[in-house]
Amino acid sequence: MTVTNPYTPFLSKITEVIKHTEIEYTFRMAYQGDVLPGQFFEVSLPKFGEAPISVSGIGDGTVDLTIRKVGKVTNEIFENYVGDSLFLRGPYGNGFDIDNYKGKEILLVAGGTGLSPVKGIVDYFSAHPEDCQGFTLLVGFKSPKDVLFKKDFEKWEKNINVIMTVDTPEDGYCGKCGLVTQYIPEIPINHSDHAVGIVVGPPMMMKCTLTELFNVGFKEENIWISQERKMCCGIGKCGHCKIDDTYICLDGPVFNYTKGKFLKD
């Protein structure tokens, strides 16, 4: 009987690096296999450790990992560019099942880097608008210089309703300002009792967004959330992501709200 170590990573080549901000880049990694939006990989470098990173894009033989430079591991990752390699293990967790949203009116609300794990959903319905009754992306960033995926926004706006807002405008900024929650009542949802909502972002943003969704008629069972900030080892061994009897890295990070509302930490 052959025993394998579940912590053993595989080597993946960086095929492209896309700069978004001074501290946020997308690393396009070589990968063959099934993966869903909302799942994550553990990215590691010998002697520096590993970090859980959500999938922000799915291509033909590649996955995108959008990484923020905020710590020991991610600082070192930023020293590796096209042609180099990183160690990966995964994908882990359950992701967003696109089939849950086909044929529905969809409202996706994301805050800041919370757009990364749901970008694959936006990519799909932007490319296949006929697969849903309507799609609105409502996303907020701290400031114009913090906006991620700027080129993708240009593509998305052609086929779906996009509302982007910033907390702190800068000179020359002509877009929307303020919290994402203030724009929810203005969104044209024809059948909110049957529409589906997807919410990802900082905890307070998610809490306030959910309140607004309920106010306009969304049902709990038609809302999905991601607890991605709680991801840890990926295989339920370290216990850092455990809330009551739920392991976020195994049972999540994506949850229907009827389950996710009980996951309080």
Side-chain angles (χ1 to χ4, degrees):
M1 178 179 178
T2 302
V3 178
T4 59
N5 184 344
Y7 285 102
T8 301
F10 56 89
L11 199 60
S12 175
K13 186 176 181 179
I14 302 170
T15 65
E16 186 178 357
V17 178
I18 304 166
K19 180 180 179 179
H20 303 297
T21 72
E22 291 303 315
I23 61 170
E24 287 151 327
Y25 286 46
T26 289
F27 290 76
R28 185 156 291 162
M29 311 298 302
Y31 178 73
Q32 296 287 345
D34 294 331
V35 62
L36 293 173
Q39 289 188 300
F40 66 99
F41 284 84
E42 293 286 349
V43 183
S44 62
L45 287 171
K47 300 188 292 185
F48 291 93
E50 66 179 7
I53 306 294
S54 294
V55 172
S56 61
I58 303 167
D60 184 11
T62 64
V63 291
D64 290 353
L65 303 176
T66 300
I67 300 174
R68 171 178 280 185
K69 187 179 182 182
V70 292
K72 183 178 179 181
V73 178
T74 53
N75 286 352
E76 184 63 21
I77 289 172
F78 270 56
E79 300 302 318
N80 293 267
Y81 293 99
V82 178
D84 290 331
S85 298
L86 298 172
F87 284 99
L88 306 180
R89 57 183 181 89
Y92 293 122
N94 68 312
F96 292 96
D97 186 348
I98 296 293
D99 287 339
N100 286 330
Y101 317 119
K102 287 182 177 180
K104 307 290 181 60
E105 289 186 85
I106 304 164
L107 172 57
L108 193 159
V109 188
T113 55
L115 180 57
S116 293
V118 292
K119 178 176 174 290
I121 304 173
V122 185
D123 285 336
Y124 178 84
F125 285 105
S126 173
H128 304 88
E130 70 280 0
D131 283 355
C132 65
Q133 293 185 25
F135 193 109
T136 294
L137 169 64
L138 173 57
V139 58
F141 295 98
K142 289 183 179 179
S143 72
K145 69 174 181 287
D146 295 306
V147 174
L148 305 177
F149 313 116
K150 292 179 181 178
K151 290 186 178 180
D152 293 287
F153 272 99
E154 296 175 4
K155 177 178 62 178
W156 296 336
E157 289 172 339
K158 297 176 181 178
N159 291 321
I160 63 174
N161 182 31
V162 176
I163 303 171
M164 181 170 62
T165 180
V166 300
D167 297 336
T168 308
E170 299 173 347
D171 290 342
Y173 177 74
C174 300
K176 296 182 182 297
C177 301
L179 302 177
V180 293
T181 49
Q182 73 186 67
Y183 294 98
I184 291 175
E186 302 175 8
I187 296 172
I189 298 291
N190 295 321
H191 305 286
S192 59
D193 55 337
H194 297 297
V196 295
I198 300 166
V199 183
V200 185
M204 186 53 65
M205 168 263 170
M206 293 178 66
K207 179 180 179 181
C208 295
T209 297
L210 289 164
T211 298
E212 288 300 319
L213 292 184
F214 298 141
N215 286 342
V216 298
F218 277 76
K219 295 181 178 179
E220 289 188 355
E221 62 267 27
N222 290 342
I223 298 175
W224 281 261
I225 62 173
S226 175
Q227 299 272 25
E228 58 152 355
R229 70 183 188 87
K230 292 287 291 181
M231 300 180 309
C232 208
C233 74
I235 57 176
K237 298 299 183 183
C238 73
H240 285 83
C241 74
K242 190 169 186 275
I243 300 177
D244 297 327
D245 61 348
T246 299
Y247 287 87
I248 302 300
C249 65
L250 295 178
D251 304 312
V254 175
F255 295 94
N256 184 270
Y257 185 71
T258 56
K259 169 72 174 179
K261 67 180 180 179
F262 298 109
L263 301 175
K264 300 177 181 179
D265 62 320

